[in-house]
Each structure stands twice: as structure tokens, then as C-alpha cells.
């Protein structure tokens, strides 16, 4: 077996351009989500309103996910991604205008609030296309033998952007306010749109162009259902993210429990991503394909413990360390999951499989935000977070006991097979 090259994917110019585009997009998206959370909670002072943000995005994202995957498999990926970015820029522009003094002084708070929810709702439709398109484009930029390495760098870029985006949002809210923070977001989205055109159009590898949509969707669902490694990884991560998503309640912790203001809020929001990206960069040098099932179970168990510690803490640095550690475990989980998807998915089905992934994992972030808001309303904020972490631990224990096949999952042979094929 060849020695691992930690920079294999970075030796391809188009992949570096792709990483730059993805960085700006995720930076802007995560920054926008933080600014919206802060503004909405400042208006309402109600954790339920934070849960509604997640619900407004998850409903269209889930309802459109499978259809989006079908469309992605039928279309040219670079053009489709540029279209998505263009619509994203319109949403960012709309939020910028909504928070202008002219609007906030003339409109009632409820009108502004409902308008924000409406734009988040339309963003959910858009998001259903982003994941499958980006996942499919990666496979057209790099050869199969370096899919695991490309998945690591792509995930690391995503996490780096989610570190800097929330932290920067916290500082800009304090420095220049919500309105001009949203202006910066609009500029970043526009920049990503321009850079994307440095990547040429790619061929459509799906041999079934024009296939009946229902038949196409059925094939995607059946593939995920029959591929036990993919199904197990997605299900496990979905439950963990759904019940362990404490980040949706961070404005409550920052303002009312830890009392650290917008700068502390940005630090808390960025802490999990700091841990995750450091872990991902390490995995570029040390492959984690061996005993992948056990490592994934262990990582999500550790994540659950960290969420419980965070929920019980009333000390800022303890909360910060707990969130950092949760990111370390989440980073391991993400790399393993993305490697499984890249290695196990045929080229012609990447859009549909990525759509199922977005339903299982991506949208569970927003659904988790809704669950956190609801349980915080019913149980109280601290109890809701501890409950979520406990449910994550129970999920891992149950999966490990009832699924010995997943426990024994090893990706070493798959990595070697792709290396020989390429």
C-alpha cells in the first residue's frame, strides 16, 4: 500500500478553487445564521423563536431534498451551483434591506420578524440543492483514488469557515451592528459567485438523462437502504445531531446564563468548529479508515458527554472547553461519514445519495434547533441540553448493541480498491 500523501487533493488547481468557493459560501452562510439568531432573540427574548428559525429552514429543505438530488444528477454541476449562489445572494440582500433603519423604523417588529422567517424559509429550498451539487462536483474534480483525502480537506474547509464565520459575526454585531454585518455577507456571497467561474463546466455522468423522476428517486432511496454502511452512518449521525444540537440555544446561554455578550457568543459558537477542524487536519496525515465503525460510535458517544457537560456548566471557560471537545469528536464523525459516502456511492447517483444525506444529517441541524427550542420551552434551557446529550448516549449504546455489522465496519479495503482502480 502506498504511503499516504496528505496534500494529494490540493495538488489539483480546480480543487483549490472549489475550496475557496466553499469557504466563502459556508463563511457567509454560518455568519448569516448567527446574525439572524442574534437579531431574532433580541426582538423576542424567547428561545422558542430560535427553534422556529430551524423549523422554517428544515421544512423546505427536507420536502425538496429528494427532488433536488434528482435534478442535480440530471444537470451540469458548475452551472447549477452558480444558480444556487445567485439566489443565495438575493436572500442575503433581502435580509440586509430588512434590517435597515428605514425598514425597522417604519415596520412593526412582528412584520420584520415574519419577513426574516420567510427569507429563511426560501433559503431552505435553496439549501436542498447546495449539498448534492457540491458533493457531486467534488467527484468531477479529483480522481477516485484521492476521494478520502478530498473529503478530509473539503470538510476541513467547511469547518474552518464555520469557525471564522460565527466568531466574525459576533465581533461585527458589536462593531458595526446587525445591518452592516449582513452587508458583508452579501459581498462574500457575490465574491464566491465570481470565483466559481474559474472552474469549467463538467460532463454529466448520469446515463439516464430524462429518466422518470419517481423511478430515479426510488433508485436513490433503495441504494441507501441496501447499503448498510451508508444507512448506519447517516442514521447514527442524524440522531446525534438531532438531540445533541445545543448550539441553537447558545444565544440564551450567552445572554442569560453565562452573560458574555456578542463576543463571547461568537467564541462559543465557533468553539465546536475549532475542535473539528483541528481533528480533520490531523486525519489528513493519519487515516481513520481502519475500524471505522467503532471509531464513529466512540466519537458520537464522546460528543454526547461534551453536550451534557456544556449544559450543566455555568462557567464560561468550562462551557468553551466542552464545546471545543464536542467539535473534536464531531470532526472524526464527519470525516468517517463523508469517506463512506464518497467510497460507496456510484458517480451517477451522487446527487440523490447526497440529498438523502442532507435529509438525514444536514437538515437534522435545523430540526435539532427546533427540538432544542421546543424542549427549552417545555423543560427549561439547561434541562433541554442535558436531555439531548443523554439521548445521544443512548442512541450510540443501542446502535452498538443491535448492529454488530456496523460495529465491525472497516474501510481499509475500499480505500485500497479505489487506489488500484485509479
Amino acid at each position: 500500500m502506498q504511503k499516504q500523501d496528505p496534500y494529494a487533493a490540493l495538488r489539483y488547481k480546480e480543487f483549490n478553487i472549489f475550496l475557496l468557493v466553499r469557504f466563502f459560501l459556508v463563511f457567509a452562510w454560518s455568519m448569516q445564521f448567527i446574525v439572524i439568531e442574534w437579531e431574532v432573540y433580541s426582538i423576542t427574548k424567547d428561545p422558542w423563536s430560535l427553534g422556529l428559525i430551524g423549523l422554517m429552514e428544515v421544512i423546505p429543505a427536507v420536502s425538496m431534498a429528494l427532488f433536488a438530488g434528482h435534478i442535480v444528477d440530471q444537470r451540469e454541476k458548475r452551472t447549477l451551483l452558480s444558480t444556487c449562489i445567485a439566489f443565495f445572494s438575493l436572500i442575503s440582500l433581502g435580509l440586509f434591506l430588512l434590517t435597515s433603519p428605514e425598514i425597522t423604523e417604519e415596520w412593526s417588529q412582528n412584520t420584520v420578524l415574519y419577513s426574516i422567517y420567510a427569507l429563511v424559509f426560501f433559503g431552505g429550498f435553496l439549501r436542498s440543492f447546495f449539498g448534492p451539487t457540491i458533493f457531486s462536483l467534488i467527484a468531477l474534480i479529483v480522481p477516485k483514488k484521492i476521494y478520502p483525502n478530498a473529503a478530509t480537506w473539503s470538510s476541513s474547509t467547511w469547518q474552518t469557515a464555520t469557525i471564522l464565520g460565527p466568531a466574525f459575526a459576533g465581533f461585527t454585531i458589536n462593531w458595526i451592528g446587525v445591518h452592516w454585518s449582513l452587508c458583508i455577507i452579501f459581498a462574500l456571497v457575490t465574491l464566491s459567485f465570481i470565483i466559481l467561474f474559474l472552474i469549467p463546466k463538467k460532463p454529466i455522468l448520469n446515463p439516464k438523462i430524462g429518466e422518470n423522476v419517481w423511478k430515479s428517486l426510488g433508485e436513490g432511496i433503495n441504494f441507501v437502504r441496501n447499503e448498510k454502511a451508508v444507512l448506519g452512518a447517516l442514521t447514527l449521525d442524524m440522531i446525534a445531531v438531532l438531540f445533541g444540537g445545543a448550539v441553537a440555544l447558545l444565544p440564551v446561554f450567552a445572554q442569560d446564563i453565562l452573560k458574555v455578550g456578542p463576543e463571547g457568543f461568537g467564541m462559543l459558537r465557533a468553539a465546536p468548529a475549532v475542535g473539528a477542524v483541528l481533528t480533520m487536519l490531523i486525519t489528513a496525515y493519519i487515516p481513520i479508515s481502519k475500524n471505522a465503525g467503532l471509531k464513529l460510535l466512540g466519537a458520537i458517544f464522546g460528543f454526547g458527554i461534551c453536550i451534557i457537560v456544556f449544559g450543566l456548566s455555568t462557567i464560561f471557560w468550562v462551557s468553551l472547553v466542552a464545546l471545543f471537545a464536542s467539535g473534536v469528536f464531531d470532526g472524526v464523525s464527519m470525516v468517517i461519514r463523508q469517506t463512506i459516502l464518497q467510497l460507496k456511492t456510484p458517480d451517477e447517483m451522487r446527487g440523490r445519495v447526497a440529498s438523502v444525506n442532507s435529509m438525514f444529517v444536514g437538515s437534522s441541524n435545523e430540526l435539532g434547533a427546533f427540538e432544542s427550542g421546543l424542549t427549552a420551552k417545555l423543560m427549561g434551557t439547561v434541562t433541554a441540553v442535558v436531555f439531548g446529550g443523554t439521548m445521544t448516549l443512548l442512541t450510540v449504546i443501542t446502535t452498538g448493541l443491535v448492529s454488530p455489522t456496523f460495529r465491525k465496519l472497516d474501510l481499509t479495503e475500499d480505500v485500497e480498491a479505489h487506489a488500484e482502480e485509479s
Side-chain angles (χ1 to χ4, degrees), residues 220 223-237 296 337 339-346 353-354 356-357 360-361 406 409 411:
F223 173 81
V224 173
R225 185 177 61 188
N226 295 327
E227 184 59 63
K228 301 303 181 185
V230 172
L231 181 62
L234 295 186
T235 303
L236 187 62
D237 220 44
L296 184 56
R337 189 181 73 250
T339 301
I340 289 173
L341 291 176
Q342 289 287 1
L343 292 174
K344 301 287 188 181
T345 306
V353 172
V356 176
N357 176 50
F360 271 72
V361 180
F406 187 80
L409 176 65
L411 299 174

Side-chain angles (χ1 to χ4, degrees), residues 165-386:
F168 189 66
F171 286 114
T172 58
I173 290 171
N174 189 50
W175 290 338
I176 58 178
V178 167
H179 178 56
W180 291 107
S181 296
L182 289 166
C183 181
I184 293 174
I185 293 166
F186 173 69
L188 289 171
V189 177
T190 303
L191 183 60
S192 70
F193 177 79
I194 295 170
I195 296 173
L196 178 62
F197 284 92
L198 295 174
I199 299 176
K201 292 183 178 181
K202 298 299 178 182
I204 303 173
L205 300 181
N206 186 0
K208 299 179 180 179
I209 300 299
E211 180 182 22
N212 178 274
V213 61
W214 298 110
K215 182 178 179 182
S216 172
L217 297 181
E219 287 180 353
I221 294 172
N222 287 333
F223 173 81
V224 173
R225 185 177 61 188
N226 295 327
E227 184 59 63
K228 301 303 181 185
V230 172
L231 181 62
L234 295 186
T235 303
L236 187 62
D237 220 44
M238 177 191 72
I239 299 298
V241 173
L242 175 62
F243 287 107
V247 292
L249 297 175
L250 284 184
V252 185
F253 279 88
Q255 294 188 34
D256 301 336
I257 297 176
L258 300 174
K259 302 184 186 303
V260 291
E263 295 94 339
F265 173 56
M267 292 174 66
L268 289 170
R269 189 63 176 80
V274 174
V277 74
L278 290 178
T279 303
M280 290 178 182
L281 291 175
I282 292 172
T283 62
Y285 294 85
I286 307 173
I288 55 175
S289 54
K290 186 175 179 60
N291 298 322
L294 273 177
K295 288 175 180 175
L296 184 56
L297 289 168
I300 296 179
F301 188 87
F303 174 82
I305 292 291
C306 293
I307 294 301
I308 293 173
V309 172
F310 169 76
L312 295 174
S313 170
T314 56
I315 303 172
F316 176 66
W317 71 264
V318 173
S319 301
L320 202 63
V321 170
L323 288 176
F324 172 83
S326 76
V328 170
F329 291 116
D330 189 43
V332 175
S333 168
M334 183 177 294
V335 170
I336 294 176
R337 189 181 73 250
Q338 288 298 317
T339 301
I340 289 173
L341 291 176
Q342 289 287 1
L343 292 174
K344 301 287 188 181
T345 306
D347 288 332
E348 69 275 9
M349 297 186 68
R350 290 188 179 277
R352 283 163 285 178
V353 172
S355 291
V356 176
N357 176 50
S358 70
M359 290 178 67
F360 271 72
V361 180
S363 296
S364 60
N365 285 287
E366 284 67 45
L367 197 57
F370 172 69
E371 181 271 339
S372 295
L374 178 61
T375 53
K377 186 76 171 178
L378 298 175
M379 307 177 179
T381 302
V382 172
T383 306
V385 173
V386 173

